[in-house]
Amino acid sequence: MIQVKQVDHTFLIGKKGKEKKVPVLKGLSFEVKQGEIVAIVGKSGSGKSTLLHTIAGFMSPEQGSITVNGQETANLNETERAAFRLNNFGFIFQNFQLMPGLTAIENVELPLKLKGISPKQRKASVQQMMDKVGLTEVGDHYPNELSGGQQQRVSIARALITNPPILFADEPTGSLDSETEQDILLLIQNLNQTLGVTFVMITHDAEVASIAHRTFKMHDGELVKGDVR
Amino acid sequence: MLFKDQVDFVRQHIKKNKLRVFMTILAATMGCAFLIVLASIGFGIQDTMRNEILQDQAITEVEVYPKENEELNLEEIKSVPYIGAIVQRTSMDVMTSFHLDDRSISGNLQLTDMKEEEQSNLKLSEGRLPQNNSEIVVGYHFAQNLWTDTERAKVEEGVEEADLPKGYEKSIIGKKVSLSLQSYDADTTFPEQWHFTVVGVVDNPAKDWIVDQSILMDKSWLPELTGVYEANAEQIPEKFTYATTKIYTSSLEHVKSVTKDLKDMGYNVYSVSEQLEQIDVFFMAFKIGLIFVGTIAILISSIGIFNTMTMAVTERTREIGVMKAIGASPKLIQRLFLMESAWIGIIGTVLAVIISYAVSFLANWLLPMVVGAALGEDGLQDLSITFSLIPWQLVVLASAISIGVAMISGWRPARKATKIDVIQALRQEL
């Protein structure tokens, strides 16, 4: 489903004209299969976020190729990448990244609006998704009226509303207490099993990594292969 | 994204910053209204001047004067294409005296070709044009200035305008009047007398101060009248008849070509369209100047729109980042921000148009009274002076400038929004 081959990336750090090259991804290669939950773990600065941003198309790698569902994404322009993300990816962020001016339902509805789906179809899909993530009662609430767990559920519902085959999660439980973390992890496992969604998660939490089918460990921009179940 | 959803999105964001958006719309409204009202003064004054000129003269009328020491060659003039009528009125250097019962008047006798007068669409307030040479048409004020000797003596002593005699108050149509002549240097009238029937009265002159007591008579009388003058006058001047010639073109668009052809023939020509053309050129430059000054006001207000949109982009950096992350294209982001600035421009412009019409109406209503009061003249509001006129073309032009400038001011912030880096935006603190 996702093939990463020989991906290199370097950041330029420092004042203009006196920049210093810092390699963050060094010849990374791996594959993620359909329906897998893959966890990428590593210390801060190991390059795991950069790797996720590169696969998700937020940035282009300096070298190497990334293929998602048979489509080479590294060479797409910004507009093409946006359309590709809309149709293939869902995102769960550590700090939820919900629109503060929109209600829970409107936040979940947003990707459908971007796809140009009619209001009638949107209403049915959103209602179904809100039921699925257990948010039926709080649909009209604004993000600041929801608990952390509820906000992350809204974020997950928004990520899944377009039925993407791949879901990226950047520290999905990083802002939650341990009880809520368990709820969210169970939800992710449940969605993976029932919908067959592929999850690529970034975490430094062993508890989160424990639900993954495979875990890749990163260190200084290199992939240190971890346990493979 | 559906257009309706885009509009909803823009409305939601405008709602979030009501006060800021209101102030920006206010600035856009003031700028656009200033442009419209300022330019409307140019349109208003131009309209007033055009009306003033057209009051005197029909727009298809061309006055033609002969070359020095020469007569007009009417046959030559007739050969010019698109001439509808040639009206040549001849007056004599002689005192005329028209009598009706015990009343009399010294009118301005003019001999003319009635068929040409008919073709030139001479307007009558009542009656008809003469059908034979014993019939005449009189000026609008002819009857009211037909006074008895007693009334005339009273007027000569001096009376207030309100106390002026009313003259002949019945309808003058069908009445027989007699004409006698007298030279300016003699005390007695010539013995000859002629009798005519009044069949028509010329329309009231557009200008209030003109007193029309002329008499239009068929030109066939000219030889007889000049013969009588020559037989009775003690001194006969070399020239005692004067002709004025007016040409009426078949339609408005031919005034220019007829004027040119007559000038090419060496005649001195004056047409109202020529004067209007000069006035239009002057006012075109004047209006462009006013619109330029007004546009500066719109440009100043556009700084407000630029600031508002830049603030909006800066404040919404994280939201734009999320939108882009979940699949919004840069073009959509740009369109949403351009729509927001266009929305501000459209609302501002609509309000400005409404306000401008109100200001224009008030100016035309109040200013004559204010100016009249300041100058101590009562009748100023009765004069048809237009201080401000807003034609639809001005509304279209001002709207295009205002909305265009609003969109241009929003373009750079909108471009900035498309360039926001998703990763940096997602890292922003909530």
Side-chain angles (χ1 to χ4, degrees), chain B residues 84-86 114-122 129 248:
Chain B
I86 301 172
M114 290 301 170
K115 279 185 186 159
E116 295 288 340
E117 292 283 0
E118 190 178 358
Q119 280 177 4
S120 75
N121 292 321
L122 176 68
L129 283 172
Y248 294 85

Side-chain angles (χ1 to χ4, degrees), chain A residues 63-76:
Chain A
Q63 276 183 5
S65 82
I66 296 163
T67 312
V68 180
N69 275 340
Q71 165 78 52
E72 170 64 55
T73 61
N75 302 323
L76 296 178

Side-chain angles (χ1 to χ4, degrees), chain B residues 143-370:
Chain B
Q144 72 186 57
N145 287 334
L146 262 175
W147 294 332
T148 61
D149 290 342
T150 323
E151 285 172 341
R152 184 164 290 105
K154 197 176 151 191
V155 171
E156 279 166 7
E157 278 171 22
V159 288
E160 289 291 315
E161 200 178 328
D163 298 330
L164 275 174
K166 299 273 187 284
Y168 190 78
E169 290 186 89
K170 294 176 197 165
S171 171
I172 198 155
I173 301 292
K175 297 288 178 297
K176 283 195 182 304
V177 292
S178 63
L179 164 69
S180 52
L181 302 177
Q182 178 186 349
S183 63
Y184 284 110
D185 51 6
D187 293 334
T188 54
T189 56
F190 304 153
E192 289 82 359
Q193 265 202 351
W194 298 270
H195 298 277
F196 299 95
T197 308
V198 178
V199 293
V201 177
V202 178
D203 208 6
N204 192 7
K207 286 191 172 172
D208 292 342
W209 63 84
I210 292 178
V211 178
D212 181 12
Q213 48 190 46
S214 60
I215 299 96
L216 295 180
M217 186 183 285
D218 194 84
K219 67 175 184 180
S220 61
W221 286 101
L222 188 62
E224 187 174 334
L225 294 179
T226 51
V228 167
Y229 181 82
E230 282 167 355
N232 292 287
E234 287 174 11
Q235 286 179 341
I236 301 165
E238 196 179 322
K239 187 174 170 67
F240 63 93
T241 59
Y242 303 94
T244 56
T245 309
K246 287 176 180 175
I247 288 167
Y248 294 85
T249 61
S250 53
S251 68
L252 178 61
E253 69 253 34
H254 298 127
V255 174
K256 217 172 186 177
S257 70
V258 169
T259 306
K260 186 182 176 299
D261 288 348
L262 291 171
K263 274 185 177 172
D264 290 346
M265 286 174 179
Y267 295 116
N268 296 315
V269 181
Y270 166 77
S271 70
V272 75
S273 69
E274 240 184 354
Q275 197 181 350
L276 285 177
E277 218 166 73
Q278 286 167 3
I279 283 176
D280 286 348
V281 169
F282 169 77
F283 273 98
M284 180 57 75
F286 183 53
K287 285 184 291 189
I288 288 171
L290 292 178
I291 289 170
F292 178 74
V293 174
T295 305
I296 292 173
I298 289 185
L299 288 174
I300 293 168
S301 77
S302 77
I303 297 169
I305 298 175
F306 179 83
N307 278 340
T308 297
M309 295 313 299
T310 307
M311 290 277 282
V313 171
T314 309
E315 280 175 2
R316 285 183 230 154
T317 297
R318 194 184 63 80
E319 286 178 46
I320 294 164
V322 175
M323 292 267 290
K324 287 177 86 172
I326 63 175
S329 70
K331 274 183 187 168
L332 175 67
I333 303 280
Q334 184 177 359
R335 187 157 62 239
L336 291 173
F337 279 93
L338 277 179
M339 279 171 74
E340 196 165 327
S341 57
W343 183 256
I344 290 171
I346 289 168
I347 299 286
T349 303
V350 170
L351 290 175
V353 170
I354 295 167
I355 290 168
S356 302
Y357 272 108
V359 169
S360 176
F361 174 77
L362 279 176
N364 288 330
W365 180 56
L366 276 176
L367 276 178
M369 287 197 263
V370 172

